[in-house]
């Protein structure tokens, strides 16, 4: 059976400042969020401003590939 082409897909958002700067020596990882987006309404990669517990501030989280 073929896969269905659903409009809603699950995406992973990753902190861009943690990845760009490397992770601090104090922190233990990279902040990631899981959310859904409508592929027809937002064909471009999703970017949202979310709280990063490793940077201790609100930063831009960008969509990554699974």
């Amino acid at each position: 059976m073929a896969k269905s082409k659903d409009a809603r897909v699950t995406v992973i958002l990753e902190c861009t400042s943690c990845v760009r700067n490397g992770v601090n020596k104090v922190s233990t990882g990279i902040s990631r969020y899981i959310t859904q987006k409508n592929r027809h309404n937002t064909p471009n990669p999703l970017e949202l401003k979310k709280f990063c517990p490793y940077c201790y501030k609100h930063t831009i989280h960008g969509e990554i590939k699974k």
Side-chain angles (χ1 to χ4, degrees), residues 4 6 11 13-14 20 32 36 42 49 62:
S4 64
D6 291 333
V11 296
L13 303 176
E14 187 176 82
R20 194 174 318 124
R32 289 190 174 159
Q36 291 183 340
T42 55
K49 202 165 188 184

Side-chain angles (χ1 to χ4, degrees), residues 38-65:
N38 190 324
R39 194 182 327 189
H40 299 300
N41 293 340
T42 55
N44 300 333
L46 190 63
E47 286 189 342
L48 296 174
K49 202 165 188 184
K50 306 285 267 177
F51 181 77
C52 177
Y54 302 108
C55 299
Y56 299 109
K57 58 184 174 182
H58 284 82
T59 57
I60 295 176
H61 285 63
E63 181 179 336
I64 61 169
K65 294 183 180 179

